[in-house]
Every structure is written in structure tokens, then in C-alpha cells.
Amino acid sequence: MMRLGLIGFPLDHSLSPKIHNAALKAGGLEGSYSLIPVPPHGRRMLEKVLSELRSGEQSGLNVTIPHKMEIIPFLDGLTPVAQAIGAVNTIFCRNQKLIGDNTDAPAFLTDLKRCFSFRDNRPHSALIFGASGAARAVAYSLSLEGWEVNIFSRRMEAADQIAAQIKNTRAFSSFPLPAVLTGLDLVVNATPLGMEPDVDKSPWPEGQPFPDGTAVYDLVYTPRQTRIVREAQSQGLRAVTGLGMLVEQAALAFELWTGELVPRESLFESVSQT
Ligand code: NAP
């Protein structure tokens, strides 16, 4: 009996139970995936859930806002990816040791390649909005693939921190960025701007056209078409929201906990009507 769950706050609109229950069904496994709301600074609750994972009462945990970075001191170790990013979205237990991993980074890259191709051989260039856990995961995965990464954040200090830790990364805090916008291949939204209920928001500056040929990847997936995606598409550009990344990060976490490979189609189906 697999007992899986998600720690975070708030969790009311999470799609993770649907995806993981579909994964359990596809793998023919008995179990459940629960939402475990832990408010910011809920240290006691975090310790309790983690002790259940250590004792085997829980089989695996996901972590989301606001605990992706704060949970690290409670763990016994990190995978190299989580260590490099400094944020955890998946925890598993091996030999009674709690290990934090980050499946957002490989999931982003897999879905990016599924959605877009960047064929020519020159180094590619990306602009990422946001400077928190998700932005770090995206910057790390692009940097590993040889991309030049530009981080744009309203807090220069947060962007600077990423630039100092992840190679090929530069930090910005104000538009316009002529040097960056020339030859830009990819824009990534790693902020909540545009997410329900604030669907009229976008991180892209009002009235500024997107550079020709740029692709747009919005990590937000509610609604399925966000303002930045709609505006990029109306300019004839390729643009997608982040449902594919969400499904892939869940599938990778599920594989870590259960050893079962999951057909992605059945996971997509579980959230296609929502
Ligand atoms: P987070 O920790 O809340 O960070 C959000 C980032 O956005 C921070 O850098 C924050 O800047 C910035 N931000 C927030 N409101 C802003 C505003 N009004 N104007 C400018 N910047 C603003 O969230 P996260 O975990 O990194 O996730 C970011 C987004 O990605 C969320 O919407 C999340 O749902 C999505 N996500 C999707 C997937 C997926 O699988 N598709 C995976 C992970 C995350 P400050 O620090 O200055 O507040």
C-alpha cells in the first residue's frame, strides 16, 4: 500500500492527486496520494510528516511552495541536482535516510524538447522571469545544455544569487534589455504572473513586441492558455503552458518512489478535463 503526499500551502487547487492516482492505477498499485497542508513556518508539522516517511508510514513526498528551499535542513541528503539548484520538490527514503531530489529540472527540459526544437548549432539564449525555486531549476537545466541564461527578477539580489551559483547565467532587474533581446531563443515565465485568478497579468512588459522567432514556455498551467502565451501566439510565435512539465515531474517522482515507469499519456488524460 503506497502512501504518497504533497506538502505545501495553500494546496486547494493542486492537480497532483489526480496525476498520482492515475499513476497508481496505471501501475496496478494500491495506494493513495494526499494533500498535506503545512503553513509557512510549520516546523512541527514538517518534522511529523518527515518522521512518517522515515518510519515507512509514508512512501514518498512531494514538496511545493513555500517549503521547497526551507525543507532542506530537515533532510539527511540531497541528490546532486537538488544540491546544485538549492530546492527540493521530491523526497524519498533510502536506508532510513531522507533524500531530497528536484524533478522539476529534468521535467522542464524533457517538456521543452517535446514542445520545441532549436535546431541551429550556435549557443542558445533564454530569458527567465522569476528568481525562486522554479527559476533555479530552469536555469540549471538550460545551463547544463550550454544555453546562455538571463534571469530577470524584481529583486536584483535574488537574480544575482542565481547568477553566482549557476554558470552561463546573468542577472537583470529592469527593462529594456537590448543586448539580451537580440537573438533571444526562449522566454520562460517562472513567476505566478498570469495564474488563476490573476489571468490578466503577464511578466512580459506591456506594449513591447517579443523578439522574432522566440519561443515562450510558461510554467503556469492554470489557465491552460495564459496571457503571455496568447500574446506570443498572436504574434505568430510558438508558446505553451507548463502542464507537460507538471506531468513529467510527477512521473519522475513516482518512478523514484515505486520503481514503476508510467505511461505519460494516462497522466495527461487524468488532467485533460480540468
Ligand atoms: P515562488 O517561490 O513563489 O517564486 C515566484 C517568483 O516569482 C519569485 O521570484 C517572485 O519574486 C516572483 N514574483 C511573484 N510575484 C511577482 C510579481 N507580481 N511580479 C514580479 N515577480 C513576481 O514560486 P516557484 O516555486 O519558483 O514557482 C514559480 C511558478 O512556477 C509558480 O506559478 C508555480 O506554480 C510554477 N511552477 C510550475 C511547475 C510545473 O510543473 N509546470 C513547476 C514548478 C513551479 P519575489 O521573490 O520578488 O517575490
Side-chain angles (χ1 to χ4, degrees), residues 63-70 87 89 103-105 107-108 111 129-138 151-156 158-159 162 189-195 201-203 217-222 241-250:
V63 185
T64 188
I65 300 168
H67 300 301
K68 280 184 171 180
M69 295 191 241
E70 289 72 12
N89 78 331
T103 64
D104 282 339
F108 168 75
D111 200 52
F129 288 99
S132 196
R136 281 170 170 272
V138 170
I151 298 276
F152 183 90
S153 170
R154 59 184 174 180
R155 282 188 307 123
M156 188 64 189
I162 301 185
N189 178 26
T191 76
L193 291 169
M195 187 161 76
K201 298 211 167 123
S202 163
Y217 193 105
D218 190 351
L219 265 59
V220 172
Y221 46 83
T222 53
T241 47
L243 192 67
M245 174 178 168
L246 180 78
V247 161
E248 186 62 27
Q249 62 77 30

Short mmCIF file of all heavy atoms in Angstrom, two decimals, residues 63-70 87 89 103-105 107-108 111 129-138 151-156 158-159 162 189-195 201-203 217-222 241-250, ligand 1:
data_model
loop_
_atom_site.label_atom_id
_atom_site.label_comp_id
_atom_site.label_asym_id
_atom_site.label_seq_id
_atom_site.Cartn_x
_atom_site.Cartn_y
_atom_site.Cartn_z
N VAL A 63 7.05 18.23 -2.51
CA VAL A 63 7.12 19.48 -1.76
C VAL A 63 6.85 20.62 -2.72
O VAL A 63 7.38 20.64 -3.84
CB VAL A 63 8.54 19.69 -1.17
CG1 VAL A 63 8.56 20.92 -0.28
CG2 VAL A 63 8.99 18.47 -0.40
N THR A 64 6.00 21.55 -2.29
CA THR A 64 5.79 22.74 -3.13
C THR A 64 5.86 24.01 -2.28
O THR A 64 6.23 23.95 -1.10
CB THR A 64 4.48 22.62 -3.95
OG1 THR A 64 4.43 23.70 -4.88
CG2 THR A 64 3.24 22.66 -3.06
N ILE A 65 5.53 25.16 -2.91
CA ILE A 65 5.56 26.47 -2.23
C ILE A 65 4.83 26.36 -0.89
O ILE A 65 3.75 25.79 -0.87
CB ILE A 65 4.85 27.53 -3.11
CG1 ILE A 65 5.56 27.67 -4.46
CG2 ILE A 65 4.80 28.87 -2.42
CD1 ILE A 65 4.74 28.48 -5.48
N PRO A 66 5.32 26.84 0.25
CA PRO A 66 6.53 27.64 0.41
C PRO A 66 7.72 26.86 0.97
O PRO A 66 8.61 27.48 1.56
CB PRO A 66 6.07 28.69 1.42
CG PRO A 66 5.16 27.91 2.33
CD PRO A 66 4.50 26.86 1.48
N HIS A 67 7.76 25.53 0.79
CA HIS A 67 8.74 24.74 1.53
C HIS A 67 9.90 24.18 0.69
O HIS A 67 10.72 23.42 1.21
CB HIS A 67 8.03 23.56 2.22
CG HIS A 67 6.98 24.00 3.19
ND1 HIS A 67 7.25 24.81 4.29
CD2 HIS A 67 5.64 23.80 3.21
CE1 HIS A 67 6.13 25.06 4.95
NE2 HIS A 67 5.14 24.46 4.31
N LYS A 68 9.95 24.53 -0.61
CA LYS A 68 10.93 23.87 -1.48
C LYS A 68 12.39 24.09 -1.05
O LYS A 68 13.24 23.26 -1.27
CB LYS A 68 10.77 24.35 -2.92
CG LYS A 68 9.63 23.67 -3.66
CD LYS A 68 9.59 24.14 -5.10
CE LYS A 68 8.61 23.30 -5.89
NZ LYS A 68 8.54 23.71 -7.30
N MET A 69 12.65 25.25 -0.47
CA MET A 69 14.02 25.53 -0.02
C MET A 69 14.13 25.33 1.50
O MET A 69 15.12 24.80 1.99
CB MET A 69 14.43 26.95 -0.40
CG MET A 69 14.50 27.10 -1.92
SD MET A 69 15.26 28.63 -2.44
CE MET A 69 13.94 29.37 -3.34
N GLU A 70 13.07 25.72 2.20
CA GLU A 70 13.10 25.68 3.68
C GLU A 70 13.20 24.25 4.21
O GLU A 70 13.63 24.04 5.35
CB GLU A 70 11.83 26.34 4.24
CG GLU A 70 11.76 27.85 4.08
CD GLU A 70 11.52 28.29 2.64
OE1 GLU A 70 11.18 27.43 1.78
OE2 GLU A 70 11.69 29.48 2.34
N ALA A 87 16.92 23.61 -4.20
CA ALA A 87 15.47 23.49 -3.97
C ALA A 87 15.07 22.03 -4.20
O ALA A 87 15.63 21.35 -5.06
CB ALA A 87 14.70 24.40 -4.91
N ASN A 89 11.75 19.23 -4.69
CA ASN A 89 10.30 19.04 -4.88
C ASN A 89 9.87 17.59 -4.64
O ASN A 89 8.69 17.28 -4.70
CB ASN A 89 9.86 19.48 -6.29
CG ASN A 89 10.20 18.46 -7.35
OD1 ASN A 89 11.17 17.71 -7.23
ND2 ASN A 89 9.42 18.40 -8.40
N THR A 103 12.86 17.08 -9.34
CA THR A 103 12.46 16.53 -10.65
C THR A 103 11.93 17.63 -11.57
O THR A 103 11.64 17.37 -12.73
CB THR A 103 11.40 15.40 -10.51
OG1 THR A 103 10.19 15.95 -9.96
CG2 THR A 103 11.88 14.28 -9.63
N ASP A 104 11.81 18.88 -11.04
CA ASP A 104 11.37 19.99 -11.91
C ASP A 104 12.39 20.23 -13.03
O ASP A 104 12.00 20.53 -14.16
CB ASP A 104 11.25 21.30 -11.10
CG ASP A 104 9.97 21.36 -10.27
OD1 ASP A 104 9.01 20.64 -10.58
OD2 ASP A 104 9.94 22.14 -9.30
N ALA A 105 13.68 20.12 -12.69
CA ALA A 105 14.72 20.47 -13.68
C ALA A 105 14.69 19.51 -14.88
O ALA A 105 14.53 19.96 -16.03
CB ALA A 105 16.09 20.49 -13.01
N ALA A 107 12.30 17.58 -15.74
CA ALA A 107 10.95 17.63 -16.34
C ALA A 107 10.82 18.83 -17.28
O ALA A 107 10.25 18.72 -18.37
CB ALA A 107 9.89 17.71 -15.24
N PHE A 108 11.37 19.97 -16.87
CA PHE A 108 11.32 21.15 -17.73
C PHE A 108 12.01 20.87 -19.06
O PHE A 108 11.48 21.12 -20.14
CB PHE A 108 11.97 22.37 -17.05
CG PHE A 108 12.20 23.51 -17.99
CD1 PHE A 108 11.13 24.30 -18.40
CD2 PHE A 108 13.46 23.76 -18.51
CE1 PHE A 108 11.32 25.33 -19.32
CE2 PHE A 108 13.66 24.78 -19.43
CZ PHE A 108 12.59 25.57 -19.83
N ASP A 111 10.09 18.43 -21.31
CA ASP A 111 8.90 19.00 -21.95
C ASP A 111 9.28 20.09 -22.95
O ASP A 111 8.62 20.23 -23.99
CB ASP A 111 7.92 19.53 -20.89
CG ASP A 111 6.53 19.66 -21.50
OD1 ASP A 111 6.06 18.66 -22.09
OD2 ASP A 111 5.93 20.74 -21.43
N PHE A 129 11.90 34.83 -16.35
CA PHE A 129 11.28 35.73 -15.36
C PHE A 129 11.10 34.98 -14.06
O PHE A 129 10.52 33.89 -14.05
CB PHE A 129 9.92 36.22 -15.86
CG PHE A 129 10.01 37.21 -16.99
CD1 PHE A 129 9.83 36.80 -18.30
CD2 PHE A 129 10.29 38.54 -16.74
CE1 PHE A 129 9.93 37.71 -19.34
CE2 PHE A 129 10.38 39.46 -17.77
CZ PHE A 129 10.20 39.04 -19.07
N GLY A 130 11.58 35.58 -12.94
CA GLY A 130 11.47 34.94 -11.62
C GLY A 130 12.84 34.52 -11.14
O GLY A 130 13.76 34.34 -11.95
N ALA A 131 12.99 34.39 -9.83
CA ALA A 131 14.30 34.03 -9.28
C ALA A 131 14.13 33.17 -8.04
O ALA A 131 14.91 33.29 -7.09
CB ALA A 131 15.09 35.30 -8.98
N SER A 132 13.10 32.30 -8.06
CA SER A 132 12.92 31.43 -6.91
C SER A 132 13.20 29.97 -7.33
O SER A 132 13.97 29.73 -8.26
CB SER A 132 11.52 31.63 -6.35
OG SER A 132 11.44 31.09 -5.06
N GLY A 133 12.57 29.00 -6.63
CA GLY A 133 12.91 27.59 -6.85
C GLY A 133 12.73 27.14 -8.30
O GLY A 133 13.62 26.49 -8.87
N ALA A 134 11.60 27.50 -8.91
CA ALA A 134 11.33 27.04 -10.28
C ALA A 134 12.32 27.67 -11.26
O ALA A 134 12.83 27.01 -12.18
CB ALA A 134 9.90 27.36 -10.66
N ALA A 135 12.61 28.97 -11.07
CA ALA A 135 13.56 29.66 -11.95
C ALA A 135 14.94 29.02 -11.84
O ALA A 135 15.65 28.85 -12.83
CB ALA A 135 13.63 31.14 -11.58
N ARG A 136 15.30 28.64 -10.64
CA ARG A 136 16.61 27.99 -10.43
C ARG A 136 16.67 26.65 -11.18
O ARG A 136 17.69 26.33 -11.80
CB ARG A 136 16.82 27.68 -8.95
CG ARG A 136 17.24 28.86 -8.15
CD ARG A 136 17.20 28.57 -6.67
NE ARG A 136 17.84 29.65 -5.96
CZ ARG A 136 19.15 29.71 -5.71
NH1 ARG A 136 19.94 28.72 -6.03
NH2 ARG A 136 19.67 30.76 -5.12
N ALA A 137 15.57 25.89 -11.12
CA ALA A 137 15.53 24.59 -11.80
C ALA A 137 15.67 24.78 -13.31
O ALA A 137 16.42 24.05 -13.98
CB ALA A 137 14.23 23.86 -11.45
N VAL A 138 14.97 25.77 -13.85
CA VAL A 138 15.01 26.03 -15.29
C VAL A 138 16.42 26.51 -15.69
O VAL A 138 17.00 26.04 -16.68
CB VAL A 138 13.94 27.08 -15.68
CG1 VAL A 138 14.12 27.54 -17.11
CG2 VAL A 138 12.53 26.49 -15.47
N ILE A 151 18.51 35.97 -16.15
CA ILE A 151 17.47 35.92 -15.12
C ILE A 151 16.96 37.33 -14.88
O ILE A 151 17.76 38.23 -14.58
CB ILE A 151 18.05 35.40 -13.78
CG1 ILE A 151 18.58 33.99 -13.94
CG2 ILE A 151 17.02 35.49 -12.66
CD1 ILE A 151 17.56 32.92 -13.80
N PHE A 152 15.65 37.52 -15.01
CA PHE A 152 15.05 38.84 -14.76
C PHE A 152 14.16 38.75 -13.53
O PHE A 152 13.21 37.98 -13.51
CB PHE A 152 14.22 39.27 -15.97
CG PHE A 152 13.65 40.64 -15.80
CD1 PHE A 152 14.35 41.76 -16.22
CD2 PHE A 152 12.42 40.83 -15.21
CE1 PHE A 152 13.85 43.03 -16.04
CE2 PHE A 152 11.90 42.10 -15.03
CZ PHE A 152 12.61 43.21 -15.46
N SER A 153 14.49 39.52 -12.49
CA SER A 153 13.70 39.48 -11.27
C SER A 153 13.51 40.89 -10.74
O SER A 153 14.37 41.75 -10.93
CB SER A 153 14.43 38.65 -10.21
OG SER A 153 13.79 38.78 -8.97
N ARG A 154 12.37 41.12 -10.06
CA ARG A 154 12.18 42.44 -9.46
C ARG A 154 13.15 42.63 -8.30
O ARG A 154 13.40 43.75 -7.89
CB ARG A 154 10.73 42.64 -9.02
CG ARG A 154 10.26 41.63 -8.01
CD ARG A 154 8.79 41.80 -7.68
NE ARG A 154 8.34 40.73 -6.81
CZ ARG A 154 7.13 40.61 -6.35
NH1 ARG A 154 6.21 41.49 -6.70
NH2 ARG A 154 6.79 39.62 -5.55
N ARG A 155 13.67 41.52 -7.76
CA ARG A 155 14.69 41.63 -6.69
C ARG A 155 16.04 41.27 -7.28
O ARG A 155 16.34 40.10 -7.52
CB ARG A 155 14.36 40.68 -5.54
CG ARG A 155 13.25 41.21 -4.62
CD ARG A 155 13.09 40.34 -3.39
NE ARG A 155 12.92 38.94 -3.72
CZ ARG A 155 13.70 37.96 -3.27
NH1 ARG A 155 14.73 38.22 -2.50
NH2 ARG A 155 13.45 36.72 -3.61
N MET A 156 16.85 42.27 -7.53
CA MET A 156 18.15 42.06 -8.17
C MET A 156 19.00 41.07 -7.37
O MET A 156 19.72 40.24 -7.92
CB MET A 156 18.87 43.40 -8.29
CG MET A 156 20.13 43.35 -9.11
SD MET A 156 19.76 42.93 -10.83
CE MET A 156 21.40 42.69 -11.46
N ALA A 158 18.10 38.50 -5.63
CA ALA A 158 17.74 37.09 -5.85
C ALA A 158 18.29 36.61 -7.19
O ALA A 158 18.81 35.49 -7.31
CB ALA A 158 16.22 36.93 -5.82
N ALA A 159 18.21 37.49 -8.21
CA ALA A 159 18.73 37.12 -9.53
C ALA A 159 20.25 36.98 -9.47
O ALA A 159 20.84 36.05 -10.06
CB ALA A 159 18.33 38.18 -10.55
N ILE A 162 21.41 33.60 -8.16
CA ILE A 162 21.36 32.50 -9.14
C ILE A 162 22.56 32.63 -10.09
O ILE A 162 23.24 31.65 -10.40
CB ILE A 162 20.04 32.51 -9.94
CG1 ILE A 162 18.86 32.37 -8.97
CG2 ILE A 162 20.03 31.40 -10.97
CD1 ILE A 162 17.52 32.24 -9.65
N ASN A 189 8.44 31.93 -18.27
CA ASN A 189 7.82 32.55 -17.10
C ASN A 189 7.92 31.59 -15.92
O ASN A 189 7.26 30.54 -15.90
CB ASN A 189 6.35 32.90 -17.36
CG ASN A 189 5.70 33.50 -16.12
OD1 ASN A 189 6.38 34.10 -15.27
ND2 ASN A 189 4.38 33.35 -16.00
N ALA A 190 8.75 31.95 -14.93
CA ALA A 190 8.85 31.15 -13.70
C ALA A 190 8.38 31.99 -12.52
O ALA A 190 8.93 31.91 -11.43
CB ALA A 190 10.28 30.66 -13.50
N THR A 191 7.36 32.85 -12.78
CA THR A 191 6.66 33.58 -11.70
C THR A 191 5.20 33.12 -11.75
O THR A 191 4.78 32.49 -12.72
CB THR A 191 6.68 35.11 -11.93
OG1 THR A 191 5.72 35.43 -12.95
CG2 THR A 191 8.04 35.63 -12.33
N PRO A 192 4.42 33.45 -10.71
CA PRO A 192 2.98 33.10 -10.78
C PRO A 192 2.16 34.08 -11.61
O PRO A 192 0.94 33.93 -11.67
CB PRO A 192 2.54 33.14 -9.31
CG PRO A 192 3.70 33.59 -8.51
CD PRO A 192 4.79 34.03 -9.42
N LEU A 193 2.79 35.07 -12.27
CA LEU A 193 2.02 36.08 -13.01
C LEU A 193 1.23 35.43 -14.15
O LEU A 193 1.81 34.73 -14.98
CB LEU A 193 2.98 37.15 -13.55
CG LEU A 193 3.61 38.04 -12.48
CD1 LEU A 193 4.73 38.89 -13.06
CD2 LEU A 193 2.55 38.93 -11.84
N GLY A 194 -0.08 35.66 -14.15
CA GLY A 194 -0.95 35.08 -15.18
C GLY A 194 -1.73 33.88 -14.70
O GLY A 194 -2.64 33.39 -15.36
N MET A 195 -1.36 33.40 -13.47
CA MET A 195 -2.04 32.23 -12.91
C MET A 195 -3.42 32.64 -12.39
O MET A 195 -3.59 33.76 -11.92
CB MET A 195 -1.19 31.69 -11.75
CG MET A 195 -1.67 30.40 -11.17
SD MET A 195 -0.32 29.64 -10.24
CE MET A 195 -0.32 30.61 -8.77
N LYS A 201 -2.59 39.11 -15.91
CA LYS A 201 -1.20 39.53 -15.67
C LYS A 201 -0.23 38.76 -16.59
O LYS A 201 -0.51 37.64 -17.00
CB LYS A 201 -0.83 39.29 -14.22
CG LYS A 201 -1.70 40.11 -13.28
CD LYS A 201 -0.94 40.49 -12.03
CE LYS A 201 -1.72 41.55 -11.28
NZ LYS A 201 -2.02 41.16 -9.92
N SER A 202 0.90 39.41 -16.83
CA SER A 202 1.95 38.78 -17.64
C SER A 202 3.29 39.38 -17.20
O SER A 202 3.35 40.58 -16.89
CB SER A 202 1.73 39.08 -19.12
OG SER A 202 2.92 38.80 -19.85
N PRO A 203 4.36 38.58 -17.18
CA PRO A 203 5.66 39.17 -16.82
C PRO A 203 6.24 39.98 -17.98
O PRO A 203 7.14 40.79 -17.76
CB PRO A 203 6.53 37.93 -16.54
CG PRO A 203 5.92 36.85 -17.37
CD PRO A 203 4.44 37.14 -17.42
N TYR A 217 7.82 29.57 -23.02
CA TYR A 217 7.39 28.47 -22.16
C TYR A 217 6.94 29.08 -20.84
O TYR A 217 7.74 29.68 -20.12
CB TYR A 217 8.53 27.47 -21.92
CG TYR A 217 8.03 26.18 -21.31
CD1 TYR A 217 7.92 25.03 -22.08
CD2 TYR A 217 7.63 26.12 -19.97
CE1 TYR A 217 7.42 23.83 -21.53
CE2 TYR A 217 7.13 24.94 -19.43
CZ TYR A 217 7.04 23.80 -20.22
OH TYR A 217 6.54 22.64 -19.68
N ASP A 218 5.63 28.93 -20.54
CA ASP A 218 5.09 29.46 -19.29
C ASP A 218 4.92 28.31 -18.31
O ASP A 218 4.16 27.36 -18.58
CB ASP A 218 3.73 30.13 -19.59
CG ASP A 218 3.21 30.92 -18.40
OD1 ASP A 218 3.80 30.81 -17.30
OD2 ASP A 218 2.21 31.65 -18.57
N LEU A 219 5.60 28.36 -17.17
CA LEU A 219 5.47 27.27 -16.19
C LEU A 219 4.07 27.20 -15.59
O LEU A 219 3.65 26.16 -15.08
CB LEU A 219 6.50 27.45 -15.05
CG LEU A 219 7.81 26.68 -15.21
CD1 LEU A 219 8.55 27.05 -16.47
CD2 LEU A 219 8.71 26.88 -14.00
N VAL A 220 3.35 28.34 -15.65
CA VAL A 220 1.97 28.35 -15.14
C VAL A 220 1.12 27.45 -16.05
O VAL A 220 1.31 27.42 -17.26
CB VAL A 220 1.42 29.81 -15.17
CG1 VAL A 220 -0.06 29.84 -14.86
CG2 VAL A 220 2.20 30.66 -14.17
N TYR A 221 0.18 26.69 -15.43
CA TYR A 221 -0.66 25.79 -16.24
C TYR A 221 -2.15 25.95 -15.93
O TYR A 221 -2.99 25.24 -16.50
CB TYR A 221 -0.23 24.32 -16.06
CG TYR A 221 -0.02 23.95 -14.61
CD1 TYR A 221 -1.08 23.59 -13.80
CD2 TYR A 221 1.26 24.02 -14.06
CE1 TYR A 221 -0.88 23.30 -12.45
CE2 TYR A 221 1.48 23.74 -12.72
CZ TYR A 221 0.40 23.37 -11.94
OH TYR A 221 0.60 23.10 -10.61
N THR A 222 -2.50 26.86 -15.01
CA THR A 222 -3.91 27.21 -14.82
C THR A 222 -4.03 28.71 -15.00
O THR A 222 -3.50 29.45 -14.17
CB THR A 222 -4.42 26.83 -13.41
OG1 THR A 222 -3.54 27.38 -12.44
CG2 THR A 222 -4.52 25.34 -13.24
N THR A 241 1.97 26.42 -22.21
CA THR A 241 1.94 26.49 -20.74
C THR A 241 2.53 25.18 -20.18
O THR A 241 2.83 24.25 -20.93
CB THR A 241 0.51 26.73 -20.22
OG1 THR A 241 -0.38 25.85 -20.89
CG2 THR A 241 0.08 28.15 -20.43
N GLY A 242 2.64 25.13 -18.82
CA GLY A 242 3.51 24.12 -18.20
C GLY A 242 2.87 22.82 -17.76
O GLY A 242 3.43 22.12 -16.90
N LEU A 243 1.74 22.42 -18.37
CA LEU A 243 1.11 21.17 -17.94
C LEU A 243 2.03 19.96 -18.22
O LEU A 243 2.10 19.03 -17.41
CB LEU A 243 -0.24 20.98 -18.65
CG LEU A 243 -1.10 19.87 -18.06
CD1 LEU A 243 -1.56 20.23 -16.65
CD2 LEU A 243 -2.33 19.61 -18.95
N GLY A 244 2.74 20.02 -19.34
CA GLY A 244 3.63 18.91 -19.68
C GLY A 244 4.75 18.75 -18.66
O GLY A 244 5.13 17.64 -18.29
N MET A 245 5.26 19.88 -18.16
CA MET A 245 6.30 19.82 -17.12
C MET A 245 5.72 19.25 -15.84
O MET A 245 6.36 18.44 -15.15
CB MET A 245 6.86 21.22 -16.89
CG MET A 245 7.85 21.31 -15.75
SD MET A 245 8.50 23.00 -15.62
CE MET A 245 9.32 22.92 -14.04
N LEU A 246 4.50 19.66 -15.51
CA LEU A 246 3.85 19.18 -14.28
C LEU A 246 3.70 17.65 -14.31
O LEU A 246 4.03 16.95 -13.34
CB LEU A 246 2.47 19.83 -14.11
CG LEU A 246 1.74 19.39 -12.86
CD1 LEU A 246 2.30 20.12 -11.64
CD2 LEU A 246 0.24 19.64 -12.96
N VAL A 247 3.24 17.15 -15.45
CA VAL A 247 3.04 15.70 -15.60
C VAL A 247 4.39 14.98 -15.52
O VAL A 247 4.53 13.96 -14.84
CB VAL A 247 2.32 15.41 -16.96
CG1 VAL A 247 2.49 13.97 -17.38
CG2 VAL A 247 0.85 15.79 -16.85
N GLU A 248 5.40 15.54 -16.18
CA GLU A 248 6.71 14.87 -16.22
C GLU A 248 7.37 14.87 -14.84
O GLU A 248 7.94 13.85 -14.43
CB GLU A 248 7.59 15.59 -17.26
CG GLU A 248 8.94 14.92 -17.52
CD GLU A 248 8.83 13.52 -18.10
OE1 GLU A 248 7.84 13.20 -18.77
OE2 GLU A 248 9.77 12.72 -17.86
N GLN A 249 7.29 15.99 -14.09
CA GLN A 249 7.94 16.00 -12.76
C GLN A 249 7.24 15.00 -11.84
O GLN A 249 7.87 14.36 -11.01
CB GLN A 249 8.03 17.41 -12.15
CG GLN A 249 6.72 18.15 -11.87
CD GLN A 249 6.00 17.67 -10.62
OE1 GLN A 249 6.63 17.23 -9.67
NE2 GLN A 249 4.67 17.72 -10.63
N ALA A 250 5.91 14.85 -12.02
CA ALA A 250 5.17 13.88 -11.20
C ALA A 250 5.59 12.46 -11.58
O ALA A 250 5.83 11.61 -10.70
CB ALA A 250 3.67 14.06 -11.41
P1 NAP B 1 7.80 31.13 -5.80
O1 NAP B 1 8.79 30.52 -4.88
O2 NAP B 1 6.55 31.71 -5.26
O3 NAP B 1 8.59 32.22 -6.68
C1 NAP B 1 7.93 33.06 -7.55
C2 NAP B 1 8.90 34.03 -8.23
O4 NAP B 1 8.07 34.95 -8.93
C3 NAP B 1 9.77 34.86 -7.28
O5 NAP B 1 10.98 35.16 -7.91
C4 NAP B 1 8.93 36.13 -7.09
O6 NAP B 1 9.69 37.27 -6.82
C5 NAP B 1 8.33 36.27 -8.49
N1 NAP B 1 7.09 37.03 -8.42
C6 NAP B 1 5.99 36.73 -7.70
N2 NAP B 1 5.04 37.69 -7.91
C7 NAP B 1 5.59 38.60 -8.76
C8 NAP B 1 5.14 39.82 -9.33
N3 NAP B 1 3.93 40.30 -9.07
N4 NAP B 1 5.98 40.48 -10.17
C9 NAP B 1 7.23 40.01 -10.43
N5 NAP B 1 7.71 38.88 -9.89
C10 NAP B 1 6.91 38.18 -9.09
O7 NAP B 1 7.35 30.07 -6.87
P2 NAP B 1 8.18 28.90 -7.63
O8 NAP B 1 8.08 27.63 -6.88
O9 NAP B 1 9.52 29.38 -8.04
O10 NAP B 1 7.21 28.74 -8.90
C11 NAP B 1 7.02 29.80 -9.83
C12 NAP B 1 5.83 29.48 -10.73
O11 NAP B 1 6.11 28.31 -11.48
C13 NAP B 1 4.54 29.20 -9.95
O12 NAP B 1 3.46 29.76 -10.67
C14 NAP B 1 4.42 27.69 -9.98
O13 NAP B 1 3.08 27.23 -9.95
C15 NAP B 1 5.05 27.38 -11.34
N6 NAP B 1 5.65 26.02 -11.36
C16 NAP B 1 5.19 25.17 -12.32
C17 NAP B 1 5.75 23.91 -12.40
C18 NAP B 1 5.26 22.98 -13.47
O14 NAP B 1 5.49 21.77 -13.33
N7 NAP B 1 4.64 23.47 -14.51
C19 NAP B 1 6.75 23.50 -11.52
C20 NAP B 1 7.20 24.42 -10.55
C21 NAP B 1 6.64 25.69 -10.49
P3 NAP B 1 9.90 37.79 -5.32
O15 NAP B 1 10.88 36.82 -4.72
O16 NAP B 1 10.43 39.16 -5.50
O17 NAP B 1 8.55 37.73 -4.64
#
